[in-house]
Amino acid sequence: MKTATVETNRPSPRTVDLPTLLAVGWVLLMLFTALAAPLIAPYEITSIDLRHRLAPPVGFGGTMLHALGTDDLGRDVASRLFYSIRTSLLVAFGATAISVLVGTGIGFIAAYFRGLVEHALLLMIDVQASLPFLIVALAMLACFGNSLTLFVALMGLYGWERNARLARGLAITASAQGYASATRQLGAHPLRVYLRHILPNSAATLLVAATVTFPEIVLVESGLSFLGLGVQPPMTSLGVMVAAGREYITRASWMLLAPSLVIVMTAVAVSVLGDWLRDKLDPTLK
Amino acid sequence: MSAVFRFAGPKILRAGLSILVVVTFTFVVLRASGDPALQILGPSARAPDLEAFRRHWGLDQPLYVQYVRYVLAALHCDFGNSMLAGKPALQLVFERAPLTLALMLPALALTMLIGIPVGAYAAMHRDTWVDRSVMMLTVFGFTVPSFVLGLLLILIFSVTLGLFPSGGADRPESFVLPVLTLGLGGAAIIARFTRSAMIEVLSQLYIVAASAKGVTWRQVVRHHAFPNAIIPVLTLFGLMLGGQVAGAVLVESVFGWPGIGQLLVVSVANRDLAVVQVILLLVALTMTSANLLMDLLYGVFDPRLRGTNSGSQ
């Protein structure tokens, strides 16, 4: 009996199709690159080599010296790309974590207090939902300046309203179920009911929501960095690289194409992965 | 009459409250942090000059005084002057608005003209190779950021083929690439949404009934399926508008398009608060009214929604 249950729960190999496998592969590659950037980058990202300015990549007349070519200051594109992936993923991970935590917190508070508090929070949620995040982020950036910590915190506001709405719904549904009222009637503190009982039961859905938020944050971050208002030099991110590549679009398109490809592939891979996770973890969310 | 009011009243009230929240948020965030005097005059400015600057712009008053003044002035459509240009901020924004609208309106039209037919077609050929390739393409449609798409289009159509200019807003051809860039991403979203709405509708019993009584399939789709599927798609319009506004900022930057988006980026970089506030408020106002309009239209298109507060239960 026990083995039978295990058998049915295990995903059969056929349910993982080729796109999902490729997506997993790409995400793992990106994670590896982000973690190992200092080890695998052949050059410092700021080391300038003026004799090899705008050198093309291998296959387009370049040499293995700079496998992905160099930029306008002769800096190695591959090295910069690795560090950009590191920065962009760091920002996106931090921001996604903040977004889910803040959203869940607000959603649970709304679900617990109901009444006026809930209405006020729902109004905030409506307002945020009706404003494009990029515009809000630009306004905030104008004020708070631009250290990396602040930037991650700002990106963490992305999607909080969606997560809050989701968490509120989950908490309201859960409160109506037997286990929540049982713990409550046993005298558990509301914090305990929410954190020890409702949260674990909502975790799968919230995790799926995070996989939706993550690629979108990658896109917003690269957009802001592209506008020159996100990650600041000497640090580099994918958007910073695209912005630099734009100036040399006629002479050195690799400066532009390498980071663009990474942005697109990562966003596609994570959303494919998210779809798969959703099907696996939460059949109700379809 | 009272039924209409009961349906529309709370929505209008909510929209008004939303605007007030945005005004407050904008004000608090923009005024409470950073010193615009230092930003505009530079770190080497002398103390008396800074003082004079703050006094001139009312920055030396307590925050609530500034707030009340600000709200009162906003009600009279006075949003202060741009500190950089020395002109009223509202005037500065309105000067740029036609160019941004000239991008966004054709792009929105393109979004609907491509998205709805493609989505409906995919739904009617569900699980064929056409459907699958359309769905694959739409994934790229909303994962390729607009600035990357714009630069790729420039690379292909301007640099390689030399067909269209890569920037500027001076010729009719200049419109092609920015409008395409802005419209294609939205078209992908609309296509996916139309497809699932259409699939949902096609599985309804009234479609079966219509087919069973001998109506041709073409007629069933045109008169029964499509009108019902299109209503939820229309409500997406409000959401799309937000994406278009954000997209316009990036697209204008890519194509050197002198619209509101570029003005916003320049103003943010220079901390020209008045202009940033006006743009934020304008976006909020547009979005809130678009959403309100969609909510109300939804009630017109779909009478079942009106019935929920009155009568039918």
Side-chain angles (χ1 to χ4, degrees):
Chain A
M1 188 59 204
K2 197 182 174 192
T3 42
T5 332
V6 173
E7 281 294 319
T8 45
N9 281 348
R10 187 189 297 162
S12 74
R14 269 173 301 139
T15 58
V16 182
D17 53 351
L18 187 65
T20 310
L21 275 180
L22 288 174
V24 172
W26 180 264
V27 169
L28 289 179
L29 182 70
M30 286 303 104
L31 285 178
F32 171 76
T33 312
L35 290 173
L39 302 175
I40 58 175
Y43 298 88
E44 289 287 316
I45 56 166
T46 48
S47 81
I48 293 170
D49 181 0
L50 291 176
R51 279 178 307 163
H52 292 102
R53 291 178 73 235
L54 302 176
V58 170
F60 297 89
T63 59
M64 278 311 285
L65 196 62
H66 297 288
L68 291 181
T70 59
D71 67 3
D72 51 316
L73 294 172
R75 296 175 299 192
D76 187 53
V77 169
S79 306
R80 290 183 70 75
L81 193 64
F82 297 158
Y83 273 95
S84 292
I85 293 167
R86 189 180 167 93
T87 314
S88 291
L89 288 196
L90 179 78
V91 171
F93 265 119
T96 307
I98 295 173
S99 168
V100 172
L101 282 179
V102 169
T104 307
I106 291 177
F108 279 4
I109 289 172
Y112 175 67
F113 286 105
R114 311 302 290 260
L116 205 60
V117 177
E118 187 181 32
H119 279 295
L121 289 173
L122 283 179
L123 182 66
M124 301 290 289
I125 288 172
D126 272 2
V127 171
Q128 175 74 72
S130 73
L131 280 174
F133 179 76
L134 192 82
I135 308 285
V136 177
L138 281 173
M140 307 265 275
L141 276 173
C143 308
F144 297 116
N146 218 320
S147 76
L148 187 65
T149 325
L150 278 173
F151 186 59
V152 173
L154 175 60
M155 289 291 101
L157 291 180
Y158 183 89
W160 71 266
E161 82 281 3
R162 217 170 33 196
N163 294 326
R165 215 177 257 165
L166 182 65
R168 172 179 162 271
L170 288 169
I172 288 177
T173 321
S175 305
Q177 279 173 7
Y179 73 88
S181 57
T183 34
R184 205 175 299 121
Q185 278 157 22
L186 282 171
H189 191 270
L191 267 181
R192 188 181 168 87
V193 177
Y194 273 87
L195 296 183
R196 290 291 299 275
H197 298 277
I198 293 180
L199 185 62
N201 279 292
S202 316
T205 313
L206 291 170
L207 184 69
V208 174
T211 65
V212 177
T213 309
F214 183 88
E216 290 175 359
I217 289 180
V218 172
L219 297 184
V220 175
E221 179 273 321
S222 56
L224 283 170
S225 299
F226 173 77
L227 292 173
L229 300 166
V231 173
Q232 300 292 313
M235 285 193 77
T236 176
S237 87
L238 295 167
V240 172
M241 287 185 76
V242 175
R246 161 166 79 158
E247 308 299 321
Y248 293 88
I249 189 167
T250 49
R251 291 167 62 199
S253 49
W254 55 88
M255 276 175 67
L256 172 81
L257 291 175
S260 302
L261 198 68
V262 171
I263 294 174
V264 173
M265 294 283 287
T266 308
V268 171
V270 178
S271 67
V272 169
L273 210 60
D275 280 353
W276 177 79
L277 258 183
R278 184 182 57 190
D279 294 348
K280 279 277 150 289
L281 290 176
D282 198 310
T284 59
L285 252 185
K286 275 192 180 151
Chain B
M1 186 62 210
S2 75
V4 171
F5 191 76
R6 228 179 301 160
F7 171 72
K11 294 185 195 305
I12 294 171
L13 188 71
R14 213 177 174 87
L17 269 176
S18 298
I19 298 288
L20 189 67
V21 170
V22 175
V23 173
T24 312
F25 165 84
T26 318
F27 175 82
V28 170
V29 165
L30 290 184
R31 283 289 153 87
S33 57
D35 183 355
L38 268 179
Q39 277 292 322
I40 299 287
L41 299 178
S44 57
R46 291 178 303 122
D49 291 344
L50 289 174
E51 273 312 306
F53 184 90
R54 289 190 190 117
R55 221 178 0 260
H56 184 243
W57 295 105
L59 296 169
D60 54 345
Q61 301 286 323
L63 211 58
Y64 67 89
V65 176
Q66 292 188 38
Y67 175 68
V68 172
R69 272 190 192 175
Y70 176 69
V71 173
L72 287 178
L75 285 176
H76 295 97
C77 278
D78 174 13
F79 295 94
N81 285 359
S82 155
M83 296 182 187
L84 270 188
K87 284 198 275 187
L90 195 65
Q91 184 195 337
L92 208 61
V93 172
F94 277 153
E95 280 170 11
R96 304 286 196 101
L99 271 171
T100 298
L101 286 180
L103 267 194
M104 280 179 58
L105 295 180
L108 272 175
L110 193 73
T111 294
M112 297 288 167
L113 285 179
I114 296 180
I116 293 176
V118 166
Y121 189 85
M124 286 157 60
H125 299 80
R126 195 179 172 187
D127 289 333
T128 61
W129 66 270
V130 183
D131 179 32
R132 276 193 216 102
S133 25
V134 165
M135 283 304 104
M136 273 307 283
L137 268 179
T138 57
V139 171
F140 282 95
F142 58 83
T143 47
V144 178
S146 53
F147 62 97
V148 169
L149 181 63
L151 289 169
L152 289 181
L153 290 178
I154 290 179
L155 196 60
I156 297 170
F157 291 104
S158 307
V159 178
T160 312
L161 299 175
L163 286 177
F164 300 107
S166 64
D170 39 355
R171 283 180 288 163
E173 306 96 275
S174 312
F175 281 80
V176 177
L177 293 184
V179 168
L180 265 183
T181 309
L182 205 51
L184 286 180
I189 298 172
I190 291 284
R192 279 186 89 92
F193 200 83
T194 309
R195 177 180 176 271
S196 51
M198 195 73 177
I199 285 176
E200 168 107 32
V201 167
L202 285 176
S203 70
Q204 298 291 317
L205 279 177
Y206 57 80
I207 299 294
V208 180
S211 307
K213 73 178 185 192
V215 180
T216 61
W217 184 236
R218 179 185 287 265
Q219 294 271 319
V220 171
V221 170
R222 188 176 296 168
H223 296 295
H224 300 265
F226 190 71
N228 281 298
I230 206 68
I231 296 175
V233 176
L234 286 181
T235 57
L236 209 65
F237 186 83
L239 275 176
M240 299 289 310
L241 202 62
Q244 295 271 313
V245 170
V249 175
L250 289 162
V251 169
E252 284 183 11
S253 166
V254 169
F255 290 96
W257 193 271
I260 293 181
Q262 279 223 324
L263 180 67
L264 177 62
V265 172
V266 171
S267 306
V268 166
N270 292 299
R271 308 188 67 169
D272 198 347
L273 301 185
V275 180
V276 175
Q277 275 172 324
V278 170
I279 296 178
L280 197 65
L281 282 178
L282 202 67
V283 170
L285 203 62
T286 317
M287 298 273 308
T288 311
S289 6
N291 281 324
L292 179 65
L293 195 70
M294 283 304 137
D295 269 359
L296 298 181
L297 278 181
Y298 207 75
V300 175
F301 286 141
D302 195 339
R304 281 169 300 183
L305 277 178
R306 269 176 287 164
T308 50
N309 315 352
S310 57
S312 81
Q313 280 182 332

